[in-house]
């Protein structure tokens, strides 16, 4: 069978070949041409076999169902170049299109796309096999050369095509055998790997079970230690409370007796007066330590219950200014109390808040040699009040700024200004932070050595601590 071009039909620029199927031997020719076209456009051997097999089946079905077909090979590019083959029915009038569609379905697995067009369009089957990634569309000059070569080439006979088909079948069977052998080898390796994985899984399961037992034992030990720590903390709190309570009465008596001796009827020698003053000062310091211990014990035991009420900071600031001014200050240090303008009343405990601020202000005055201690307040984000105590004192090293909130901790070398031998108890700041937390806020510090410190108490404006009072 020779290539066919109908009368008056012009070839598309990318059309490669046009043939007719009118008898059984034409199906062999179409198969052969399909393989040849697939080869010259650059498809690999497997794709050549797929295209040839698909055309052979389509040609046979079209011959049986519609009496024959015109087969057109061309190149298309709808985003990716591809070989397209259209088989248009010769006489579709008596064709059972539903039956033809069902018979075409298995052929679709051999190509990228297979569509059956039905009336009102001409009845045709369209096959599409895309080029592999990286392959470009053939230039027009090359397409013309291929078309001329295919038209001049005489098709082989049915026996030649059958021999070629058998050769392809043998090659395919050999390839299948190789794949089967490779699959058996991979299955063997997979079984060996599975045995190793199962052994490893068993080992890991045993190790995990052993680790879990260790973790459970560790948690049990941690729970026991936590209980011991709680008991020790409760015992320490009880000891501090009891010892402070028992010490307060005799210390107060010592202070009273010392002052009674100092104001007695008989005159005192200078040495006696100095000794009595020393007793009075020492007992006063001891009473302050006892009171700090008792306050800290109350805070730790949870026996302090805030009494929530609306508090105006201006009143608290005025009270602090009066109390601290009455204690006397060094002339080189100014106490500056800024009016809390724009800060609304907040819901808090005025007594506990006053204790916190008085502690911070007196502490700042003790460690400031010259300059000022400033007390101020601002309202932040509409629901938080920030009260700051800023000084120009000796400052705190950065690595010590969190440790000052530990009980009994004192910054090495730090002593109140003008009192080289005096040392604090290390309880004031921990107590102040506990009270701030109890009021629903927090106490933080920023400081630089030689430039001073800023202690900041942040409190809720309308919500009372953990009790959620509003």
């Amino acid at each position: 069978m020779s290539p066919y071009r109908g009368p008056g039909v012009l070839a598309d620029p990318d059309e490669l070949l046009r043939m007719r199927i009118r008898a059984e031997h034409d199906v062999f020719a179409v198969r052969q041409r399909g393989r040849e076209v697939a080869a010259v456009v650059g498809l690999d051997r497997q794709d050549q076999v797929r295209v040839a097999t698909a055309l052979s089946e389509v040609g046979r079905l079209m011959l049986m169902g519609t009496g024959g077909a015109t087969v057109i090979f061309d190149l298309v590019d709808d985003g990716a170049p591809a070989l397209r083959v259209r088989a248009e029915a010769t006489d579709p009038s008596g064709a059972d299109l539903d039956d033809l569609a069902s018979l075409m379905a298995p052929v679709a697995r051999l190509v990228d796309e297979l569509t059956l067009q039905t009336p009102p369009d001409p009845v045709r089957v369209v096959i599409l096999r895309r080029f592999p990634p990286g392959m470009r569309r053939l230039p027009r000059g090359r397409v013309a050369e291929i078309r001329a070569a295919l038209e001049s080439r005489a098709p082989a006979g049915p026996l030649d095509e059958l021999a070629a088909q058998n050769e392809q079948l043998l090659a395919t069977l050999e390839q299948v055998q190789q794949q089967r052998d490779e699959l058996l080898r991979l299955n063997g390796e997979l079984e060996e790997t599975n045995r190793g994985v199962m052994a490893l899984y068993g080992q890991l399961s045993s190790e995990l079970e052993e680790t879990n037992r260790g973790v459970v034992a560790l948690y049990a030990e941690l729970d026991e230690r936590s209980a011991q720590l709680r008991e020790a903390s409760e015992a320490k709190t009880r000891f501090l409370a009891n010892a402070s309570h028992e010490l307060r009465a005799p210390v107060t008596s010592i202070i009273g007796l010392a002052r009674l001796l100092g104001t007695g009827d008989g005159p005192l020698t200078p040495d006696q007066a100095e000794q009595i003053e020393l007793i009075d000062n020492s007992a006063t310091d001891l009473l302050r330590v006892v009171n700090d211990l008792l306050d800290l014990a109350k805070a730790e035991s949870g026996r302090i219950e805030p009494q929530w009420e609306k508090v105006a900071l201006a009143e608290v600031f005025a009270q602090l200014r009066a109390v601290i001014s009455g204690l006397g200050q060094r002339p080189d240090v100014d106490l500056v109390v800024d009016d809390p303008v724009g800060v609304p009343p907040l819901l808090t405990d005025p007594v506990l808040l006053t204790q916190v601020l008085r502690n911070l202000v007196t502490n700042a005055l003790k460690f400031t040699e010259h300059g000022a201690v400033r007390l101020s307040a601002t309202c932040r984000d509409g629901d938080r009040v920030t009260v700051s105590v800023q000084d120009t004192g000796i400052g705190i090293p950065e690595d010590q700024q969190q440790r000052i909130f530990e009980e009994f901790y004192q910054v090495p070398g730090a002593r109140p200004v003008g009192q080289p031998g005096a040392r604090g108890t290390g309880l004031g700041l921990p107590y102040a932070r506990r009270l701030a937390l109890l009021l629903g806020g927090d106490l933080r510090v920023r400081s630089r050595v030689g430039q001073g410190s800023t202690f900041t108490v942040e409190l809720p404006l309308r919500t009372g601590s953990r009790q959620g009072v509003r």
Side-chain angles (χ1 to χ4, degrees):
M1 184 188 72
S2 61
Y4 162 78
R5 190 174 309 284
V9 177
L10 298 177
D12 184 90
D14 287 338
E15 181 179 319
L16 299 175
L17 189 65
R18 184 180 292 235
M19 304 177 65
R20 272 186 176 177
I21 298 177
R22 291 174 294 190
E24 287 287 346
H25 65 272
D26 293 337
V27 175
F28 286 95
V30 167
R31 175 186 175 88
Q32 174 198 358
R33 289 299 199 188
R35 185 175 64 256
E36 292 176 354
V37 170
V40 296
V41 299
L43 297 179
D44 61 21
R45 185 176 181 84
Q46 290 187 356
D47 283 341
Q48 296 170 25
V49 174
R50 289 190 182 97
V51 171
T53 305
L55 282 176
S56 176
E57 189 65 14
V58 168
R60 183 181 65 82
L61 293 174
M62 293 292 281
L63 181 63
M64 293 171 54
T66 66
T70 299
V71 180
I72 304 169
F73 297 83
D74 60 4
L75 298 176
V76 295
D77 191 350
D78 57 353
L83 171 64
R84 181 178 65 179
V85 184
R86 292 170 289 171
E88 186 170 341
T90 300
D91 182 15
S93 58
D96 187 344
L97 298 180
D98 291 336
D99 185 51
L100 187 62
S102 63
L103 294 174
M104 291 287 182
V107 184
R109 294 195 294 267
L110 297 174
V111 291
D112 294 316
E113 293 182 17
L114 186 146
T115 56
L116 174 61
Q117 297 179 358
T118 58
D121 296 327
V123 176
R124 66 164 65 95
V125 177
V126 181
I127 294 174
L128 201 68
R129 186 63 183 180
R130 301 189 186 279
F131 289 2
M135 282 187 61
R136 297 183 178 179
R137 183 172 183 174
L138 297 176
R140 292 290 170 84
R142 177 63 178 152
V143 171
E145 294 177 4
I146 294 175
R147 182 190 304 133
L150 290 172
E151 290 179 349
S152 63
R153 185 181 304 173
L159 293 179
D160 294 331
E161 180 58 26
L162 183 60
Q165 185 174 353
N166 288 337
E167 181 182 352
Q168 295 168 5
L169 180 60
L170 290 175
T172 302
L173 289 175
E174 183 180 357
Q175 185 177 7
V176 169
Q177 181 63 36
Q178 292 176 354
Q179 293 176 349
R180 180 172 175 273
D181 294 341
E182 180 66 14
L183 182 60
L184 290 175
R185 184 185 65 81
L186 291 177
N187 284 338
E189 293 180 358
L190 183 59
E191 290 178 2
E192 184 66 26
T193 302
N194 286 340
R195 285 193 292 269
V197 168
M198 293 303 296
L200 180 60
Y201 175 77
Q203 179 182 353
L204 291 177
S205 297
S206 300
E207 293 178 357
L208 181 60
E209 185 177 355
E210 183 66 26
T211 302
N212 288 339
R213 286 196 293 268
V215 169
V216 171
L218 179 60
Y219 271 112
E221 183 179 355
L222 288 175
D223 290 341
E224 182 180 357
R225 295 293 177 86
S226 298
Q228 293 174 357
L229 287 175
R230 284 194 299 270
E231 293 175 0
S233 178
E234 293 172 359
K236 181 198 72 172
T237 301
R238 289 195 301 270
F239 169 77
L240 290 177
N242 294 335
S244 301
H245 180 74
E246 295 299 329
L247 287 174
R248 178 180 288 182
V251 171
T252 304
S253 299
I254 293 173
I255 294 174
L257 290 173
R259 292 176 181 175
L260 182 62
L261 288 174
T263 59
D265 296 336
L268 299 175
T269 65
D271 289 342
Q272 290 175 333
E274 182 180 355
Q275 292 170 358
I276 291 175
E277 183 180 2
L278 179 61
I279 294 173
D280 187 11
N281 292 338
S282 299
T284 301
D285 291 341
L286 181 58
L287 181 61
R288 186 177 67 255
V289 173
V290 170
N291 288 333
D292 288 346
L293 288 173
L294 188 58
D295 290 339
L296 186 63
K298 287 181 180 178
E300 287 187 344
S301 63
R303 291 202 296 264
I304 298 179
E305 293 291 338
Q307 303 300 314
W308 306 103
E309 59 182 85
K310 285 290 185 67
V311 177
L313 278 182
E315 299 176 2
V316 176
F317 283 13
Q319 181 182 359
L320 277 173
R321 183 192 294 111
V323 171
I324 295 174
S325 297
L327 298 177
Q329 298 173 225
R330 286 187 302 280
D332 296 335
V333 180
D334 296 328
L335 175 60
V336 181
V337 180
D338 295 333
D339 291 333
V341 179
V343 179
L346 66 155
L347 190 64
T348 188
D349 187 316
V351 176
L352 298 183
L353 177 59
T354 302
Q355 284 183 304
V356 173
L357 298 181
R358 184 172 58 194
N359 183 302
L360 297 177
V361 172
T362 55
N363 199 59
L365 290 170
K366 285 194 300 183
F367 291 95
T368 302
E369 183 175 4
H370 54 78
V373 173
R374 180 180 296 274
L375 175 64
S376 61
T378 57
C379 185
R380 185 170 63 84
D381 299 333
D383 62 350
R384 307 290 290 181
V385 173
T386 300
V387 184
S388 299
V389 177
Q390 183 178 7
D391 64 61
T392 57
I394 60 177
I396 305 168
E398 185 176 355
D399 60 345
Q400 307 288 321
Q401 291 178 16
Q402 292 306 313
R403 298 203 61 189
I404 61 175
F405 295 107
E406 298 175 8
E407 298 168 9
F408 303 105
Y409 183 80
Q410 298 171 342
V411 177
R415 285 178 171 78
V417 176
Q419 306 176 50
R423 295 281 287 179
T425 61
L427 295 174
L429 290 176
Y431 179 60
R433 172 172 269 189
R434 286 183 182 274
L435 292 184
L437 292 173
L438 192 62
L439 295 176
D442 197 5
L443 173 60
R444 296 187 294 273
V445 63
R446 290 184 293 105
S447 183
R448 296 187 67 177
V449 175
Q451 299 183 19
S453 305
T454 300
F455 285 85
T456 302
V457 181
E458 187 175 284
L459 297 170
L461 183 62
R462 298 183 179 86
T463 303
S465 188
R466 302 163 190 164
Q467 286 84 349
V469 179
R470 292 186 181 275

